[in-house]
Amino acid sequence: MNAPKLEKGKCSILIAEYATGHVFKKDLTLFRKGDSAGDTYQLFENFYDAENFVLNFIKSKPEFECSIYDHYGEHLKTYDITGKRKFTKNGQE
């Protein structure tokens, strides 16, 4: 599932269950095969708003993790109850 392409500066987030990685829709019901991908991504005007939403959401619902994507659909950050997750590309952060 690819993140949506948006107007410049806007961001989207995807919510998944921390323990399993299962993707959830905006209404926090499990995303199932055949469901619309449009029901999964929440859209924000900018990164600041998206990150604030994610940090507050994770604090109130620690069983989830959230990934933030830029307007190109590229992954920016993922947060879970332990904080910002670190990813590496080719062994480098």
Side-chain angles (χ1 to χ4, degrees):
M1 177 177 350
N2 295 324
K5 304 283 193 279
L6 305 169
E7 291 178 32
K8 187 171 181 162
K10 295 190 178 193
C11 291
S12 62
I13 66 156
L14 183 69
I15 298 171
E17 187 175 36
Y18 177 64
T20 65
H22 292 143
V23 174
F24 278 71
K25 296 187 278 187
K26 292 183 263 191
D27 65 3
L28 297 184
T29 58
L30 186 62
F31 178 80
R32 298 183 183 277
K33 185 177 179 181
D35 287 346
S36 170
D39 292 337
T40 58
Y41 289 93
Q42 296 190 49
L43 308 181
F44 294 86
E45 291 298 314
N46 54 59
F47 177 79
Y48 176 80
D49 291 345
E51 187 174 48
N52 279 333
F53 173 86
V54 165
L55 293 173
N56 288 318
F57 180 82
I58 295 298
K59 196 179 294 182
S60 67
K61 298 190 178 345
E63 66 273 21
F64 292 101
E65 62 187 24
C66 297
S67 295
I68 304 172
Y69 298 87
D70 68 9
H71 61 276
Y72 294 115
E74 297 292 323
H75 177 260
L76 296 175
K77 293 183 180 183
T78 296
Y79 287 96
D80 59 41
I81 193 60
T82 65
K84 179 184 168 200
R85 189 167 311 147
K86 295 187 188 287
F87 292 95
T88 60
K89 290 183 181 179
N90 300 328
Q92 297 181 9
E93 191 173 312

